Amino acid sequence: MWGLDGKVYLPYLHEWRPQSHDLRELAVWMSSTFGDEPPCYAKPANQSGGGGGGRSNPPPYAQASVTSAYNPNAVSNSVRASVVSTSTILSNSMNSEEEQRRIAFEKEIAEANLAAETARKAAAEEARLEEESKRLKLEHDANLSNMRAMATSKVQFQIQQIFKESKEEMRRELKDQKLLEVGKERIDILLKEGEEQKNGLIRDIAEMDKAVEELEQWLEVVEEQKRNTGEDTSSSEQQQQQRQQNVDLLALPTDTHSAQMLELSAKNAAIDDCIYYLDRALVRGSITLDVFLKEVRKLSKEQFLAKAHLLKIAQAKFGTDIRSNQV
């Protein structure tokens, strides 16, 4: 609104704040207010100047007083009374209009203040909501960043653990593989040596069978020569008894190696007979299984040593080497 002093009074100017008000919004307020109630207007041509405060035509009762019958004294008094009455009426009318304008102005100011307060509250609420939204977004971004960092750290830790376990497992597997390769080499060597020993024993057995066959042929020749000499039956029986009594005289070795081989062969055969009769005793229940196993283990060890000794003597006597023969 505007005053008689020519100044403009608006709620926007009354509540002016440099932080929240600007000239553009002030121009919008003034344009809206002046559009509803212009501050200036032109008077009609048939109206003389005078105080009226924006009235285009004088009151009708003023015109009536001017057009009454002419009487100088009455006219002057009437004019004075009319002027006074008119002035009073105009003054009252102006006061009433000013009061109405003031009331309307105060009402508009109150409405404008209410609207401005509402707008300020809405702006403050919007700013608060915006700040709250920014704060929540920052918190969300921070929480998301923390969660990503924690997830990354956890994944890296799990990957490192899996890598360490895989590395340790691979190291154990390589170690086991090396042990298996070494064991395989040892087994191959043992198999080869066992095969060589087996072949050597087969040859030794064949040679022993051949020697036994030659011995049997020699005994047959001796027996034949004794029969051809014409010895009587009694002497033969006596010799047979002597041979039965002196078993060691049936085979007389010619050297030390032959004597050792004969003794070891007899020991080997005796051990076979002993094991046979131990087995028969176990079947009949004469001995227990523990005793049987203990004795068999003992006799087997002795038989193995006897056969090994016999093999060494054969190698020394005949000048043969089993392994070199296999090659």
Side-chain angles (χ1 to χ4, degrees), residues 13 15 36 43 87 112 133 140 143 154 184 190-191 193 209 223 227 230 232 237 267 298 311-313:
L13 290 172
E15 297 177 356
D36 295 339
K43 290 183 178 181
S87 299
S133 176
H140 176 71
N143 293 331
K154 188 173 181 180
K184 182 181 178 182
L190 292 174
L191 289 174
E193 292 179 353
D209 292 338
E223 292 292 336
R227 285 194 295 269
D232 54 1
E237 291 178 356
K267 185 177 180 179
K298 181 179 178 182
L311 181 61
K312 292 293 183 182
I313 294 172

Side-chain angles (χ1 to χ4, degrees), residues 122-179:
E125 183 67 17
E126 184 178 357
R128 187 186 67 79
L129 292 176
E130 185 176 357
E131 291 293 332
E132 184 70 16
S133 176
K134 291 181 179 179
R135 185 182 64 81
L136 293 175
K137 184 177 180 181
L138 291 176
E139 290 181 357
H140 176 71
D141 293 340
N143 293 331
L144 184 61
S145 178
N146 292 332
M147 292 176 65
R148 287 178 179 174
M150 291 176 63
T152 303
S153 177
K154 188 173 181 180
V155 170
Q156 290 178 352
F157 178 77
Q158 293 293 336
I159 291 174
Q160 291 177 358
Q161 290 296 115
I162 293 173
F163 176 73
K164 289 181 180 179
E165 292 176 358
S166 300
K167 186 177 180 181
E168 184 66 21
E169 186 176 358
M170 289 178 65
R171 187 184 65 81
R172 291 196 300 267
E173 292 293 338
L174 290 174
K175 184 177 180 181
D176 294 340
Q177 184 177 359
K178 290 182 179 179
L179 293 176

Side-chain angles (χ1 to χ4, degrees), residues 160-222:
Q160 291 177 358
Q161 290 296 115
I162 293 173
F163 176 73
K164 289 181 180 179
E165 292 176 358
S166 300
K167 186 177 180 181
E168 184 66 21
E169 186 176 358
M170 289 178 65
R171 187 184 65 81
R172 291 196 300 267
E173 292 293 338
L174 290 174
K175 184 177 180 181
D176 294 340
Q177 184 177 359
K178 290 182 179 179
L179 293 176
L180 290 174
E181 290 177 354
V182 173
K184 182 181 178 182
E185 292 177 357
R186 291 179 180 177
I187 291 172
D188 292 338
I189 293 172
L190 292 174
L191 289 174
K192 186 176 180 180
E193 292 179 353
E195 190 68 23
E196 293 175 353
Q197 293 179 1
K198 178 182 177 181
N199 294 331
L201 291 173
I202 291 172
R203 287 194 300 270
D204 293 339
I205 292 171
E207 291 176 357
M208 291 179 66
D209 292 338
K210 183 178 180 181
V212 170
E213 184 178 357
E214 291 177 355
L215 183 59
E216 290 178 353
Q217 291 177 0
W218 179 77
L219 290 175
E220 291 179 357
V221 171
V222 172

Side-chain angles (χ1 to χ4, degrees), residues 14-57:
H14 181 69
E15 297 177 356
W16 181 270
R17 297 290 185 276
Q19 294 80 6
S20 60
H21 295 66
D22 55 18
L23 293 177
R24 183 176 61 81
E25 293 185 0
L26 176 62
V28 173
W29 271 80
M30 293 176 68
S31 175
S32 177
T33 303
F34 293 164
D36 295 339
E37 189 173 354
C40 299
Y41 55 90
K43 290 183 178 181
N46 57 356
Q47 184 177 1
S48 60
R55 295 294 181 180
S56 60
N57 295 319

Side-chain angles (χ1 to χ4, degrees), residues 193 196-197 199-201 203-204 207 310-327:
E193 292 179 353
E196 293 175 353
Q197 293 179 1
N199 294 331
L201 291 173
R203 287 194 300 270
D204 293 339
E207 291 176 357
L310 183 63
L311 181 61
K312 292 293 183 182
I313 294 172
Q315 292 176 358
K317 179 175 177 59
F318 299 104
T320 58
D321 189 1
I322 296 177
R323 295 185 180 179
S324 62
N325 289 334
Q326 289 180 353
V327 177

